[in-house]
Amino acid sequence: DAKTTQPPSMDCAEGRAANLPCNHSTISGNEYVYWYRQIHSQGPQYIIHGLKNNETNEMASLIITEDRKSSTLILPHATLRDTAVYYCIVRFMTTDSWGKLQFGAGTQVVVTP
Amino acid sequence: ETGVTQTPRHLVMGMTNKKSLKCEQHLGHNAMYWYKQSAKKPLELMFVYNFKEQTENNSVPSRFSPECPNSSHLFLHLHTLQPEDSALYLCASSQYRALNQPQHFGDGTRLSIL
């Protein structure tokens, strides 16, 4: 199963774009990259996911490199409410696995005024 | 509002008490999950249900007993818990075995064992 590597923390100024990196160098061709975030005392919130192509929704953009070994989550205009732990997860399916989410330690993002 | 509702939000109980956590999803999903999140630790998957059938139990102690009467409701029955069971318990739902469909989480029940 593919593992992910994220920086433990990063700061971002309010109103600026936040670029969150994730390394998943052992990812396989049928494995999706998912991003979630968890604001203190709340459940994880789904942000975005992708397979090969870049994706964008109302919350963020996901840029996946051509070799799929890394990705970047972009929050275009960070606000104080974006302060959270951000999780990058590679989701896979095998005969024994049904596509479970395996959460790591994530990146603690702090947005400052 | 994620479409997954958990009650109660907070629960304090003694080690000899029996209580239940409830989860309800309004997303039309067919799979439901229980996760445990202890302080400073990653989320740990506890149980998986697919169409009311339990498909995974990650070596969870028998003092935790899940129940899934239908694909919209999930319970976690608690009895004779230990102090180390104090944690945030999260429920999630999704379409089963659909890699390109996300799981959606509730806001959890914060459980404290006295």
Side-chain angles (χ1 to χ4, degrees), chain B residues 1-97:
Chain B
E1 178 58 51
T2 66
V4 180
T5 304
Q6 291 188 242
T7 55
R9 289 297 311 277
H10 302 273
L11 179 62
V12 179
M13 56 187 286
M15 290 190 285
T16 58
N17 293 153
K18 291 184 180 180
K19 296 286 186 184
S20 296
L21 310 185
K22 179 182 176 182
C23 176
E24 183 174 0
Q25 60 96 1
H26 306 277
L27 301 169
H29 291 154
N30 54 23
M32 297 188 78
Y33 316 83
W34 280 117
Y35 288 83
K36 175 184 178 182
Q37 188 174 31
S38 303
K40 310 274 187 205
K41 292 177 69 175
L43 275 76
E44 303 169 60
L45 178 67
M46 299 174 73
F47 301 104
V48 180
Y49 275 85
N50 170 34
F51 285 111
K52 305 186 297 178
E53 178 184 342
Q54 188 180 131
T55 57
E56 187 153 344
N57 175 341
N58 276 342
S59 303
V60 180
S62 60
R63 57 185 183 269
F64 295 91
S65 175
E67 177 189 2
C68 189
N70 55 62
S71 57
S72 297
H73 294 85
L74 184 65
F75 296 89
L76 188 63
H77 304 298
L78 317 171
H79 65 96
T80 324
L81 294 193
Q82 304 299 309
E84 61 266 27
D85 297 323
S86 296
L88 181 67
Y89 289 85
L90 292 156
C91 172
S93 71
S94 75
Q95 290 301 115
Y96 188 66
R97 294 183 71 86

Side-chain angles (χ1 to χ4, degrees), chain A residues 73-93:
Chain A
L73 179 74
I74 301 173
L75 307 178
H77 304 287
T79 71
L80 299 180
R81 287 176 294 182
D82 291 323
T83 293
V85 178
Y86 287 76
Y87 299 99
C88 170
I89 302 166
V90 170
R91 199 173 179 200
F92 58 95
M93 189 84 78

Side-chain angles (χ1 to χ4, degrees), chain A residues 10-107:
Chain A
M10 61 183 293
D11 294 335
C12 178
E14 188 178 19
R16 305 294 291 270
N19 296 293
L20 282 63
C22 180
N23 182 287
H24 31 79
S25 58
T26 59
I27 195 169
S28 298
N30 61 347
E31 296 174 349
Y32 283 78
V33 179
Y34 272 77
W35 283 84
Y36 281 79
R37 72 180 184 184
Q38 189 172 21
I39 297 169
H40 184 62
S41 296
Q42 296 182 19
Q45 178 188 22
Y46 165 74
I47 302 174
I48 199 167
H49 72 280
L51 182 62
K52 297 179 182 177
N53 300 321
N54 298 337
E55 302 288 342
T56 295
N57 63 21
E58 65 279 5
M59 289 182 67
S61 295
L62 174 60
I63 308 299
I64 302 174
T65 58
E66 191 169 345
D67 63 8
R68 303 210 322 124
K69 293 183 184 298
S70 66
S71 61
T72 301
L73 179 74
I74 301 173
L75 307 178
H77 304 287
T79 71
L80 299 180
R81 287 176 294 182
D82 291 323
T83 293
V85 178
Y86 287 76
Y87 299 99
C88 170
I89 302 166
V90 170
R91 199 173 179 200
F92 58 95
M93 189 84 78
T94 67
T95 53
D96 298 323
S97 166
W98 39 267
K100 64 179 71 176
L101 295 172
Q102 292 184 304
F103 286 81
T107 296

